[in-house]
Amino acid sequence: MTARANGFPLPRGRAALVPSVLAADFTCLKSSLAPVKRAADWVQVDVMDGRFVPNISFGPGIVPAVAKASGLPIDAHLMVSEPGRFIDAFAAAGSGLITVHAEARNAGACLRKIKALGLRAGLAVRPRTSLARVVPFLAGLDLILIMTVEPGFGGQAFMPEMMPKVAKARSLISRSGRRIWLQVDGGINAATALTAAQAGADSFVIGSALFSSGKPAAFLRGLRAEL
Ligand code: DX5
């Protein structure tokens, strides 16, 4: 299998570092994202609808702007109650991977639709949602996202109590024999990324810690060396 499918990287035993746009400098996306081009693997747009989470962020219009500014593939994390209404738009906007939440409406049908569009499909679970909600969909997944904060805002504290869930997801993936990313998102910095990697994560969404570092490329290179 190629290292990329539909332009999106596949797990190949190397950590995937994923800047979260939510924490980028919106006064100039280009200067904020251009430095991560050579050091990151893809970029995540954190989409919020004000219903599934108590915050509103952005729509599909941001995808081409982020893709142009970063030159990287885009992962659209839909923190929305009815993701089925937005999959076509995020696909048409250029997302290479779309993640829906297991707690959202018609998650299974959404995953099937994402795959039918030739995209990579991710399934996310809130901290309080059991991993059992992921098992029925495992065969069709390209990514499992274990939230390490309650979704809705950047800059929150990492929840170390999510590590047993990460470890359980890693053994689920290993037993499945499938190439599925195990992503963590929320409160990820150099220390918590190592904690999550030890539990079995191999994709790290990083917002505040990355962009507040002032040197995002150096931050990512240093983290990759550690991982
Ligand atoms: C949660 C958001 C954050 C963001 C990363 O809803 O999606 O997880 O991506 O936030 P930091 O890295 O700032 O905790």
Side-chain angles (χ1 to χ4, degrees):
M1 192 181 292
T2 59
R4 289 176 174 274
N6 87 307
F8 211 86
L10 291 171
R12 52 189 191 285
R14 174 180 180 271
L17 304 182
V18 184
S20 151
V21 167
L22 199 66
D25 173 359
F26 280 86
T27 63
C28 183
L29 265 186
K30 189 155 181 64
S31 61
S32 199
L33 290 173
V36 304
K37 177 169 184 168
R38 265 176 282 288
D41 295 278
W42 68 81
V43 176
Q44 182 180 97
V45 294
D46 325 68
V47 183
M48 303 176 189
D49 66 356
R51 281 176 57 201
F52 187 77
V53 292
N55 193 5
I56 294 177
S57 58
F58 18 69
I62 199 170
V63 172
V66 171
K68 190 163 172 235
S70 67
L72 290 170
I74 304 296
D75 148 3
H77 175 195
L78 304 185
M79 290 167 271
V80 303
S81 299
E82 297 179 77
R85 294 173 52 208
F86 305 105
I87 290 166
D88 286 324
F90 276 92
S95 308
L97 181 146
I98 298 178
T99 293
V100 299
H101 267 260
E103 309 90 349
R105 185 176 296 179
N106 300 329
C110 289
L111 292 170
R112 287 189 293 277
K113 177 164 188 173
I114 294 165
K115 297 298 280 184
L117 289 169
L119 303 182
R120 318 305 286 170
L123 188 62
V125 283
R126 288 175 184 273
R128 62 174 176 270
T129 299
S130 159
L131 201 58
R133 298 282 293 276
V134 171
V135 175
F137 306 110
L138 200 65
L141 289 182
D142 300 291
L143 180 142
I144 296 172
L145 168 49
I146 307 285
M147 290 304 294
T148 45
V149 295
E150 190 56 40
F153 298 91
Q156 300 179 78
F158 176 79
M159 297 170 70
E161 62 272 33
M162 289 296 112
M163 294 306 101
K165 194 176 187 183
V166 171
K168 225 166 128 190
R170 174 50 62 197
S171 64
L172 259 181
I173 292 170
S174 306
R175 283 203 305 275
S176 77
R178 290 179 45 79
R179 298 175 75 181
I180 301 174
W181 288 108
L182 180 47
Q183 187 175 70
V184 286
D185 177 353
I188 301 296
N189 56 38
T192 58
L194 280 177
T195 303
Q198 281 154 4
D202 62 359
S203 172
F204 304 86
V205 176
I206 316 167
S208 320
L210 174 67
F211 290 106
S212 65
S213 72
K215 297 190 221 93
F219 178 97
L220 292 172
R221 279 195 297 273
L223 180 55
R224 194 177 294 284
E226 287 293 309
L227 291 173

